[in-house]
Amino acid sequence: MSVRLTAGAIQDLITDSEVTNPVLQCLKMRQVANTSGPTRYRLMMSDGRHSYSSFLLATQLNHLPENNLLEPNCVCKVKKTTTNTLQDGRRVLVVIDMEILQSGEEAGGKIGDPTPFAADGKSSPPQSLVSSTSFSSSPAVPGPSYRNNSGYGGGSAGKQIGKVSPQCGMETSPMKASPMKTSPFESSPMKTSPFKASPMKTSPFKASPMKTSPYKASPSKTSPYKASPMKTPPYKASPSKTSPYKASPMKDNSSPAGSSTKVIPIASLNPYQSKWTIRARVTNKSNIRNWSNSRGEGKLFSFEIVDESGEIKITAFNKEVDKFYSLVEQGKVYYITKGTLKVANKQYNSLNNDYEMTLHANTSIVPCDDGQDIPAVHCDFIPIAELENKDNNDIVDVIGVCKSAEDVSRITTKSSKEVSKRALHLIDTTGKVVTATLWGEEAEKFDGSGQPVVAIKGARLSDFGGRSLSASFSSTVMINPDIPQAFLLRGWFDKVGFKLNSQSLTETRSAGGNTRINWKSLSDIKDEQLGHREKADYFSCIATVVYTRKENCLYKACPSDNCNKKVIDQQNGFFRCEKCNREFPNFKYRLLLSANLADFGDNQWVTCFQETAEVLLGHSAETLGQLRDTDEAAFDEVFQRANFTAHIFKNRVKLETYNDETRVKVTVLEVQPIDHREYSRRLLSNIRQLAG
Amino acid sequence: MASIVDVPKPRVNCSMLSQHINRPVCFVGRVEKVHPSGSAFTLTDGDGKTANIELNEPLEEELSGVVELLGMVSNKGVIMATTYTILREDKGITFDLELYNEALKVIHDFPQYYPFEMAASG
């Protein structure tokens, strides 16, 4: 069963011509060691006509060779590739998606007679570039091991034409004079010890964590198949992940020679590359902080910088503080070179970068005059509606219009410090509102008049009241910032936003202690068996009073504060309270009203205590007590008036047992007048919802 | 002859006028402009659209705010009003015209649940 290879595909791929899903044979594969991060596999692929050895397997496909699916001589359909061009013009093809069509065994051997493809178009292989041990020998030679050929990939050659022995052991071949032609990697390692672990410091190969590292494929230049771990592991599957994948990554790797004019993006900074220059604007500068602990004492200051690609935090200690503190100013742009990169300490660093920088004695910071294209601030704003999906304590950037702001208030913290705080309500185009809290001076200075656009960078998300934001010490609050999102928001708000009756993520007032009012109808009490569970159920409803029991609605209670127990009339002018164990010459009248409420669905007997009864009847207990004794007619009138009035009732319902009898008891906790507009809106929305 | 008040009058807004030509309707809207003669004026409904109103006799009082009127829709879509009521803004809760409009839509979308026509008989 022969599978046809797509002849000419290699040429097409390298010259960037269109070729869809070419079928290629993998002639050789080799593992390239990586100091940190996953192994990379380098492949030599053939289309029957040409072979090309600068193919790299994207790490997500590493399972193919690891599970022996991808093996020498197997035939594959290459579904997705991306090309990287090295500084000297050579191209490396990264295979991002590939399907194995035939195993090596099934294929039987090398298909066709491919000649190594030279980038310059020549298809005949100039014989062994550098050293004879390369597999640049004639076809007859029985499979020289796929030696690494230092010249490999030097744009030409050394492609092995001969039979490939399956062993891909690229041992260290005695590749000496490696044709480090143009590679910037002519750094010493090559010269001194050919295949040692070349500490390619200057190689642009960034360690894998650098998600944003531009893919650089040059390892081949230096020592292609070095078994020795290159500190800077060559192949990163960056193309798939990141944007800074630049077609000519080399460009960014400007300064191998220490050239200070070429600038690299902040996003590509990593600990494995030490010669770089960046140009960025200072967005945030902290004060000098002194510390002293068991190990000694010192001082530090930190600042954050931003450029078009991203941002990073920089810290300076001790001597560098003296050197740079006065030089670095917020808002200005500087060229910075020679800082130490290390993995960011997320506890103190909330920026969107895996690394942070420390200044040292050799660092140089030079002011730059031309900083126009550097953005003033780099924020990834999260729409307010999506804050609900974020985790508590996440650091986010938010922008919104300050719909309303509360007054500044002073509170005392647990550590007995007095601090000012102010809550703002921010709304954005998602229509959702969230409460953001400002502290200290910012809270005091804030002016919410005119509904300004407020952007907070590095705000902490909390689950207080559902979801709310807090501007922490490291957050930056910007009022009406000069960024496009702010203008967009302003325009939106003025046209549409101000009218929105929006939904707040932060429920500042909670009816019943929870976030939402539980609207039910009286028929739901039976239908849903409210109150039948262990805990009482709370709900609100709109209902009309249809009957109030005026007999026994009043009782004489103990006059002492907080004691509402019914007193016993001792008939001698004194009233005894059992709870207080005292006698009083007086009492206070209290209401305990039994009423029947009704709505479209059902009736329900409820009990109203003093407060709610007074609202319902419109008179205090005392007055009613007086009235009862003096004017019967007026007393009756009060109850008549209350009849057929409708209100919003907030109730508590529970199944209670009294002398072997269980009954559902409903108590009214709060009586509110009906807000017809709000009720209408709710009904309309229910109708629409039910209509589907 | 049955006067307009004895007959069921569906509540309409501007977009529904065309479906009620030559029929009595009830229209609620905000006064926009009053013709100098006092016999005609324009009202805007909850959607913001304008309806022209004509009266048999000229107005005797200042008309402003939200008004509810009963009348017949002419062939040209003008409401020939017979009576009107001013819903005063200084008393009670202000009339929410937009909300009223929403309710109107519901009534017309689900006439099976709002059988006003039959209600008037008997």
Side-chain angles (χ1 to χ4, degrees):
Chain A
M1 130 182 83
S2 64
V3 173
R4 292 201 45 171
L5 302 182
T6 318
I10 298 275
Q11 183 159 4
D12 288 338
L13 285 172
I14 294 176
T15 56
D16 278 336
S17 316
E18 279 275 309
V19 56
T20 328
N21 295 345
V23 178
L24 302 174
Q25 183 180 34
C26 172
L27 296 178
K28 279 179 186 283
M29 26 183 273
R30 169 167 191 71
Q31 259 188 342
V32 184
N34 217 352
T35 43
S36 52
T39 320
R40 297 306 300 262
Y41 289 90
R42 181 168 166 165
L43 314 171
M44 174 191 250
M45 307 294 287
S46 137
D47 65 357
R49 189 184 295 169
H50 292 127
S51 65
Y52 194 65
S53 63
S54 295
F55 274 88
L56 260 193
L57 196 63
T59 48
Q60 64 252 33
L61 295 178
N62 272 10
H63 64 95
L64 292 174
E66 277 159 14
N67 295 332
N68 290 324
L69 291 167
L70 179 68
E71 45 176 14
N73 286 339
C74 73
V75 179
C76 354
K77 189 197 293 188
V78 174
K79 291 163 130 180
K80 206 161 174 338
T81 63
T82 178
T83 318
N84 244 321
T85 311
L86 306 178
Q87 200 173 41
D88 63 352
R90 279 180 294 157
R91 313 191 76 134
V92 176
L93 285 157
V94 181
V95 178
I96 303 178
D97 192 7
M98 177 157 85
E99 196 185 300
I100 312 291
L101 297 178
Q102 252 191 2
S103 73
E105 271 178 51
E106 290 176 308
K110 185 163 64 140
I111 297 176
D113 189 12
T115 52
F117 184 84
D120 56 356
K122 283 201 299 238
S123 55
S124 61
Q127 296 302 318
S128 61
L129 288 186
V130 208
S131 76
S132 42
T133 50
S134 57
F135 37 68
S136 51
S137 39
S138 56
V141 172
S145 29
Y146 198 32
R147 292 289 168 90
N148 47 358
N149 194 335
S150 50
Y152 194 84
S156 44
K159 284 192 188 97
Q160 113 239 37
I161 327 176
K163 272 255 242 341
V164 183
S165 59
Q167 122 211 26
C168 292
M170 296 282 184
E171 302 91 34
T172 61
S173 64
M175 247 19 44
K176 304 265 179 80
S178 21
M180 300 288 129
K181 297 184 199 161
T182 53
S183 69
F185 309 101
E186 51 259 299
S187 26
S188 33
M190 255 9 252
K191 305 207 190 116
T192 52
S193 56
F195 293 96
K196 295 257 186 84
S198 52
M200 298 277 183
K201 288 227 203 100
T202 61
S203 103
F205 298 135
K206 315 227 188 314
S208 33
M210 199 72 228
K211 280 196 238 170
T212 59
S213 64
Y215 170 87
K216 299 195 188 353
S218 40
S220 47
K221 294 201 216 143
T222 50
S223 61
Y225 294 99
K226 254 209 286 210
S228 46
M230 286 234 283
K231 251 207 226 162
T232 59
Y235 317 108
K236 305 294 168 284
S238 44
S240 34
K241 289 196 222 165
T242 47
S243 41
Y245 171 83
K246 301 191 185 4
S248 51
M250 296 334 256
K251 227 208 292 187
D252 297 321
N253 177 30
S254 52
S255 29
S259 57
S260 51
T261 47
K262 282 213 171 144
V263 161
I264 68 165
I266 286 184
S268 65
L269 283 174
N270 67 83
Y272 307 99
Q273 191 186 11
S274 63
K275 293 211 183 110
W276 44 259
T277 304
I278 51 174
R279 182 177 73 147
R281 189 190 304 276
V282 175
T283 53
N284 217 351
K285 178 174 143 185
S286 79
N287 293 323
I288 300 183
R289 266 206 314 132
N290 291 292
W291 82 81
S292 90
N293 58 23
S294 50
R295 288 195 288 159
E297 42 173 49
K299 57 183 174 184
L300 68 89
F301 88 101
S302 66
F303 56 101
E304 294 165 11
I305 54 170
V306 70
D307 75 359
E308 306 91 345
S309 72
E311 50 189 4
I312 193 168
K313 177 174 174 191
I314 303 183
T315 313
F317 292 93
N318 303 321
K319 286 216 277 293
E320 281 68 53
V321 171
D322 298 325
K323 218 160 116 181
F324 294 115
Y325 186 72
S326 42
L327 173 64
V328 170
E329 280 175 66
Q330 191 160 330
K332 291 228 171 82
V333 183
Y334 300 89
Y335 284 110
I336 302 177
T337 185
K338 297 221 193 94
T340 317
L341 270 315
K342 61 173 195 212
V343 173
N345 180 350
K346 286 299 174 190
Q347 198 187 3
Y348 294 112
N349 183 349
S350 62
L351 291 189
N352 188 12
N353 195 323
D354 294 329
Y355 301 107
E356 55 186 6
M357 196 191 304
T358 309
L359 305 181
H360 59 79
N362 290 333
T363 308
S364 98
I365 300 188
V366 173
C368 162
D369 294 318
D370 175 29
Q372 280 152 323
D373 44 344
I374 312 257
V377 70
H378 184 92
C379 285
D380 283 312
F381 292 117
I382 312 272
I384 292 182
E386 278 176 45
L387 287 178
E388 283 183 309
N389 304 333
K390 290 251 160 203
D391 295 320
N392 194 13
N393 285 326
D394 264 5
I395 304 288
V396 294
D397 300 337
V398 174
I399 189 169
V401 176
C402 173
K403 215 169 165 219
S404 60
E406 294 171 23
D407 289 330
V408 65
S409 60
R410 285 195 78 78
I411 55 173
T412 321
T413 66
K414 284 188 272 223
S415 45
S416 304
K417 267 202 311 219
E418 270 226 340
V419 72
S420 315
K421 73 173 247 214
R422 189 196 288 262
L424 325 171
H425 303 282
L426 299 181
I427 184 175
D428 72 356
T429 48
T430 58
K432 293 266 180 187
V433 171
V434 71
T435 303
T437 312
L438 297 183
W439 302 89
E441 229 186 275
E442 271 175 346
E444 285 164 19
K445 282 193 298 185
F446 185 77
D447 178 12
S449 59
Q451 293 169 320
V453 176
V454 174
I456 309 181
K457 184 173 158 58
R460 193 173 44 87
L461 190 63
S462 102
D463 60 2
F464 176 73
R467 271 274 173 274
S468 54
L469 291 168
S470 173
S472 64
F473 174 65
S474 59
S475 320
T476 317
V477 178
M478 292 161 273
I479 319 283
N480 283 328
D482 193 13
I483 49 181
Q485 291 102 323
F487 300 126
L488 279 172
L489 261 176
R490 177 95 265 149
W492 166 82
F493 188 77
D494 292 337
K495 277 208 270 289
V496 176
F498 68 97
K499 291 192 285 199
L500 277 184
N501 199 8
S502 51
Q503 181 72 45
S504 177
L505 296 181
T506 323
E507 299 285 351
T508 42
R509 229 184 346 109
S510 40
N514 304 0
T515 40
R516 233 161 270 284
I517 303 183
N518 187 15
W519 289 106
K520 294 271 173 233
S521 71
L522 295 180
S523 47
D524 289 337
I525 298 178
K526 294 212 184 69
D527 292 342
E528 294 176 18
Q529 298 211 310
L530 293 181
H532 277 55
R533 288 185 305 209
E534 287 271 324
K535 271 173 46 158
D537 283 320
Y538 292 86
F539 71 96
S540 292
C541 67
I542 296 209
T544 313
V545 178
V546 290
Y547 184 77
T548 45
R549 194 171 277 144
K550 60 183 197 283
E551 309 79 35
N552 289 337
C553 64
L554 281 165
Y555 70 96
K556 299 181 172 90
C558 171
S560 27
D561 290 329
N562 285 340
C563 180
N564 291 329
K565 182 136 180 69
K566 182 167 169 180
V567 290
I568 304 168
D569 188 345
Q570 296 187 307
Q571 302 298 334
N572 57 358
F574 282 92
F575 303 90
R576 183 177 168 70
C577 172
E578 293 295 335
K579 193 156 116 183
C580 303
N581 212 5
R582 277 180 60 188
E583 283 194 356
F584 301 92
N586 58 344
F587 58 86
K588 58 185 188 209
Y589 272 119
R590 280 189 69 85
L591 278 165
L592 186 56
L593 185 65
S594 218
N596 190 286
L597 306 180
D599 69 3
F600 68 87
D602 206 350
N603 291 68
Q604 181 62 48
W605 283 99
V606 303
T607 313
C608 300
F609 288 102
Q610 174 87 339
E611 295 75 23
T612 45
E614 283 181 346
V615 172
L616 221 48
L617 299 172
H619 289 276
S620 72
E622 281 302 325
T623 324
L624 284 174
Q626 304 276 342
L627 222 46
R628 188 173 62 171
D629 298 329
T630 54
D631 190 347
E632 275 288 342
F635 184 72
D636 288 344
E637 172 92 23
V638 169
F639 290 85
Q640 279 298 336
R641 282 252 182 82
N643 229 359
F644 300 110
T645 53
H647 307 263
I648 297 179
F649 293 91
K650 192 173 120 203
N651 311 304
R652 177 186 176 276
V653 56
K654 182 97 189 59
L655 198 63
E656 275 168 30
T657 317
Y658 186 73
N659 292 346
D660 300 333
E661 202 184 307
T662 48
R663 274 203 221 161
V664 171
K665 294 293 202 83
V666 181
T667 319
V668 177
L669 301 172
E670 208 183 324
V671 175
Q672 296 274 349
I674 299 182
D675 176 354
H676 292 274
R677 288 163 90 164
E678 194 249 320
Y679 183 37
S680 300
R681 270 188 224 114
R682 200 169 60 247
L683 287 174
L684 280 167
S685 112
N686 285 349
I687 290 174
R688 291 296 173 202
Q689 237 180 334
L690 289 167
Chain B
M1 187 183 87
S3 124
I4 195 165
V5 295
D6 303 326
V7 127
K9 298 155 287 290
R11 289 180 172 276
V12 295
N13 63 13
C14 287
S15 26
M16 301 165 195
L17 284 180
S18 50
Q19 290 136 6
H20 292 81
I21 299 212
N22 283 326
R23 286 211 283 255
V25 295
C26 172
F27 188 91
V28 178
R30 185 165 284 122
V31 177
E32 200 187 318
K33 259 178 32 166
V34 181
H35 198 265
S37 66
S39 305
F41 54 94
T42 55
L43 294 179
T44 46
D45 70 0
D47 274 335
K49 302 213 184 68
T50 317
N52 291 308
I53 320 290
E54 275 171 32
L55 295 168
N56 292 333
E57 303 112 9
L59 284 168
E60 279 157 36
E61 57 178 341
E62 267 303 314
L63 209 58
S64 68
V66 182
V67 165
E68 181 192 61
L69 47 84
L70 310 177
M72 298 282 287
V73 185
S74 77
N75 299 357
K76 287 177 282 177
V78 174
I79 305 179
M80 316 297 289
T82 46
T83 56
Y84 67 85
T85 320
I86 304 181
L87 305 178
R88 293 176 60 158
E89 294 181 334
D90 50 345
K91 285 200 175 149
I93 312 171
T94 330
F95 191 81
D96 188 338
L97 204 54
E98 281 75 27
L99 204 52
Y100 173 77
N101 199 55
E102 289 297 311
L104 270 195
K105 284 193 207 149
V106 170
I107 295 175
H108 286 266
D109 285 345
F110 305 103
Q112 66 269 40
Y113 299 110
Y114 300 98
F116 292 123
E117 302 290 323
M118 295 184 248
S121 58

